[in-house]
Amino acid sequence: MKEDGADIVRLVRDTGVLDVNSVYAYLLVGEHYSQTSVIAEVGDQLAGFISAYCPPEKPDTVFVWQVGVAEAGRGKGLATRMLYEILRRPACSHVRYLDTTVGPSNDASMALFRGLAKKLGTQCEEDELFGSELFGDDDGEPHEPEILFRIGPIDPAAVPSRD
């Protein structure tokens, strides 16, 4: 996955809704969090990725940092299948909660995570985690607040096996 850093940056940029981080950040995700992150390819093209990690202070939680799906992969359930893949991995065998943050204008991500909770038969709690004032104003436009979505408790038996 670390070999995909430059492709991930392009995919993130092409989504038009995700914060674009440096190639170095995505290289580090691939190097340090490959057991909790995933990419999806169609042929030899990157179709999607999820960066995620288990916060040390929350050993029963996986935090999904970014979900990106290329235009060609949208509307086909790819993001949900990638989330299931992460939840099935041995590195997440202890996970009972999935946390993520979503900007209030990102309807697609809100639908994805609310839908995931429903498919897993569990709760989805939503509460502001980072107010817009915390992001500063470097580029002249205020950043939206980030809403914490906490999904769980997750029953491992509710996670579908591979398609």
Side-chain angles (χ1 to χ4, degrees):
M1 178 166 170
K2 70 180 175 184
E3 298 82 11
D4 300 299
D7 290 334
I8 291 171
V9 167
R10 280 190 287 281
L11 185 136
V12 167
R13 190 175 298 121
D14 290 348
T15 69
V17 295
L18 296 173
D19 290 333
V20 181
N21 297 289
S22 68
V23 173
Y24 186 70
Y26 295 111
L27 294 174
L28 287 174
V29 168
E31 179 68 16
H32 295 282
Y33 302 116
S34 63
Q35 297 302 307
T36 51
S37 299
V38 66
I39 64 163
E41 296 176 320
V42 174
D44 61 351
Q45 296 294 312
L46 183 66
F49 96 102
I50 295 177
S51 55
Y53 62 93
C54 294
E57 69 282 357
K58 292 183 177 180
D60 64 345
T61 302
V62 62
F63 182 86
V64 173
W65 175 23
Q66 284 189 311
V67 177
V69 177
E71 184 68 37
R74 293 184 191 151
K76 300 176 182 174
L78 180 60
T80 300
R81 289 194 312 272
M82 289 190 296
L83 288 167
Y84 288 156
E85 171 62 26
I86 290 169
L87 290 171
R88 285 191 297 260
R89 290 186 174 174
C92 290
S93 63
H94 60 285
V95 165
R96 297 298 170 258
Y97 293 90
L98 183 148
D99 286 357
T100 193
T101 62
V102 178
S105 68
N106 192 335
D107 294 330
S109 286
M110 288 192 290
L112 169 67
F113 290 106
R114 289 173 182 151
L116 178 69
K118 186 175 181 177
K119 289 171 186 164
L120 293 173
T122 194
Q123 300 174 25
C124 179
E125 297 177 7
E126 301 174 31
D127 192 29
E128 185 175 293
L129 181 63
F130 300 123
S132 58
E133 72 281 357
L134 296 175
F135 291 94
D137 197 14
D138 285 342
D139 60 3
E141 294 195 26
H143 193 288
E144 287 189 308
E146 290 286 333
I147 308 302
L148 174 67
F149 281 57
R150 183 157 177 83
I151 297 169
I154 298 169
D155 177 357
V159 180
S161 59
R162 286 181 172 79
D163 312 311

